[in-house]
Amino acid sequence: MAKKRERRVGPSSDRSKTRVEASTQKHELGDDSVNSDRRQITIFIIFFIVIPAVSMLVYSIKHTPRPSNSFVTVSGSVHERGLVKLDINHQQILTEQSRVLETNGSHRHFKNPVLAYITPWNSMGYEMAKKFNSKFTHLSPVWYDLKSQGNGLVLEGRHNADVGWIKELRLRGHAQLLPRVVLEAFPKEILKKKKLKNKAIDLMVTECKEMEYDGIVLESWSRWAAYGILLDPDLRNLGLQFIKQLGEALHSVNSARDKPLQLIYVIGPPYSEKLQAFDFGPKDLQSLSGAVDGFSLMTYDYSNPHNPGPNAPLKWISFCLQMLLADGARSLAHKIFLGINFYGNDFILSEDSGGGAITGRDYLSILEKHKPVIQWEKKSSEHFFYYDDKNIKHAVFYPSLMSIYTRLEEARSWGTGISIWEIGQGLEYFFDLL
């Protein structure tokens, strides 16, 4: 178009000059077009990408709850600050959960043994184990699985072991390190074949020696129940004999601390008021007490998405201890690590029930977003609240200072220790109670 306009006004004798001027003008207009496009792109990027990104960043910094590994020390304990109570609110939790007692990492309030689990999929637990090392007597990272492989066995999990973290733990405190081993190998083969049984025991003892552990936490009872082993009296007895033999083998070896290696055995709660064949009962406790140093009792997961409710009602916990410590086993209470959950549950209350476990970080996000009214459920001795999200009603049960405190008092009254599943899922100020 520019070239045609120049041709109409320019004399015929100056066609060359006209073409040059037209060409120059075309370039100038072309440059203007390019610059205009660039300006539009720049404006688009600023308004539709940069500004929203900056806004989101500012919002996240301003509104995201303080991460659990970022804490502020204070001079008063949670008791002295009046935080262990029934009447709590979301804002108080958001404000106080990261404020911990200045001497919290070294002073123990709960004098009985404390076993703390750490999972590799939740790195916060590793930090809590270091920070509050002196609060624990036993630390159990969930690292190992003993599996069948062909006609033999293999102990998997050493790749999970963090040698640097282990060294730092040793420098910070005296908590004993007993990684968990889940017995996933085919149980009938291990229990019936002497060679495989000895191999399984040797694998675990050797790993303790090579990695300088203080022992292991073994989980097999629930696996044996799933395979029907506990319904067969002969196989059940072979299972108990296997645990005894493992305990004796560990006790025959000294750890790097010059103490016998320890065995802690994981047991589930009874499933009814009358003990069944697959339940671990007082006779089993008495039978194994000489070979096992402690029993990690899983008193949590009382409810589930299909039957939503409290995580571990206090009366149910007491009932589990009554069942386990009956028939002359009361004197063995000191060997029990009573299970306490540091995780919670967010249940969906609808016909299509659902939901599941939540960590402390999830819990804080829900409090920040929905600002719910928190209630105390007297029957279970747990705090809970409701909230609506996209017209779907939820119920959240998550530990509070008061719910944990009441369970610690229950453990004290029985003379048991506690086991925590798991420390990376709790809030910072929970550790002030330990």
Side-chain angles (χ1 to χ4, degrees), residues 289-353:
S289 62
V292 177
D293 301 282
F295 299 85
S296 180
L297 177 60
M298 298 189 291
T299 39
Y300 33 74
D301 287 340
Y302 178 82
S303 302
N304 58 64
H306 302 293
N307 183 30
N311 296 312
L314 189 60
K315 289 183 179 179
W316 173 70
I317 291 175
S318 182
F319 163 76
C320 291
L321 288 172
Q322 289 172 17
M323 295 287 283
L324 183 61
L325 297 175
D327 302 329
R330 183 70 171 80
S331 62
L332 297 173
H334 67 282
K335 288 203 169 190
I336 304 300
F337 292 90
L338 182 67
I340 294 180
N341 57 289
F342 267 21
Y343 65 92
N345 280 299
D346 180 359
F347 296 118
I348 296 174
L349 304 181
S350 68
E351 293 180 1
D352 301 322
S353 60

Side-chain angles (χ1 to χ4, degrees), residues 405-426:
Y405 175 71
T406 57
R407 282 147 183 78
L408 292 176
E409 288 298 291
E410 186 73 11
R412 284 190 182 98
S413 70
W414 284 90
T416 73
I418 62 166
S419 56
I420 303 170
W421 186 274
E422 50 93 3
I423 57 174
Q425 297 175 331

Side-chain angles (χ1 to χ4, degrees), residues 5 42 63 140 174 176 195 218 228 231 269 301-302 307 322 324 360 367 371 377 380 389:
R5 281 198 297 270
T42 302
H63 295 283
S140 184
H174 303 288
Q176 299 181 76
K195 187 177 180 180
L218 180 69
L231 299 177
D301 287 340
Y302 178 82
N307 183 30
Q322 289 172 17
L324 183 61
L367 293 182
K371 299 176 174 53
E377 212 281 304
S380 65
D389 186 34

Side-chain angles (χ1 to χ4, degrees), residues 162-373:
D162 187 332
V163 177
W165 177 73
I166 294 173
K167 288 181 179 179
E168 194 167 352
L169 283 180
R170 303 293 194 204
L171 294 173
R172 287 176 179 244
H174 303 288
Q176 299 181 76
L177 188 66
L178 292 82
R180 190 191 71 172
V181 178
V182 176
L183 202 60
E184 293 191 346
F186 300 124
K188 285 185 180 180
E189 294 186 3
I190 286 184
L191 300 180
K192 285 187 170 183
K193 297 179 180 179
K194 183 178 180 180
K195 187 177 180 180
L196 273 183
K197 179 172 64 174
N198 292 338
K199 177 64 175 178
I201 292 171
D202 181 65
L203 282 171
M204 289 183 274
V205 173
T206 299
E207 189 71 5
C208 287
K209 291 192 289 187
E210 292 182 357
M211 296 298 290
E212 297 187 351
Y213 296 142
D214 298 296
I216 65 166
V217 173
L218 180 69
E219 182 172 346
S220 69
W221 197 263
S222 60
R223 307 284 169 167
W224 291 346
Y227 276 95
I229 297 298
L230 303 177
L231 299 177
D232 183 318
D234 292 332
L235 287 174
R236 196 181 195 280
N237 185 58
L238 287 175
L240 293 172
Q241 291 299 322
F242 173 82
I243 298 167
K244 287 181 183 178
Q245 188 175 333
L246 173 61
E248 291 166 358
L250 288 165
H251 292 164
S252 69
V253 177
N254 278 2
S255 68
R257 301 173 192 253
D258 201 28
K259 294 181 178 179
L261 297 176
Q262 293 188 27
L263 172 62
I264 294 177
Y265 192 63
V266 179
I267 56 176
Y271 288 90
S272 64
E273 294 186 8
K274 185 178 181 180
L275 289 176
Q276 305 298 315
F278 49 76
D279 286 321
F280 189 95
K283 291 183 179 179
D284 301 313
L285 182 65
Q286 291 168 315
S287 173
L288 297 178
S289 62
V292 177
D293 301 282
F295 299 85
S296 180
L297 177 60
M298 298 189 291
T299 39
Y300 33 74
D301 287 340
Y302 178 82
S303 302
N304 58 64
H306 302 293
N307 183 30
N311 296 312
L314 189 60
K315 289 183 179 179
W316 173 70
I317 291 175
S318 182
F319 163 76
C320 291
L321 288 172
Q322 289 172 17
M323 295 287 283
L324 183 61
L325 297 175
D327 302 329
R330 183 70 171 80
S331 62
L332 297 173
H334 67 282
K335 288 203 169 190
I336 304 300
F337 292 90
L338 182 67
I340 294 180
N341 57 289
F342 267 21
Y343 65 92
N345 280 299
D346 180 359
F347 296 118
I348 296 174
L349 304 181
S350 68
E351 293 180 1
D352 301 322
S353 60
I358 57 171
T359 66
R361 187 179 296 274
D362 302 323
Y363 180 68
L364 295 177
S365 296
I366 295 171
L367 293 182
E368 180 72 33
K369 181 178 180 181
H370 297 281
K371 299 176 174 53
V373 176

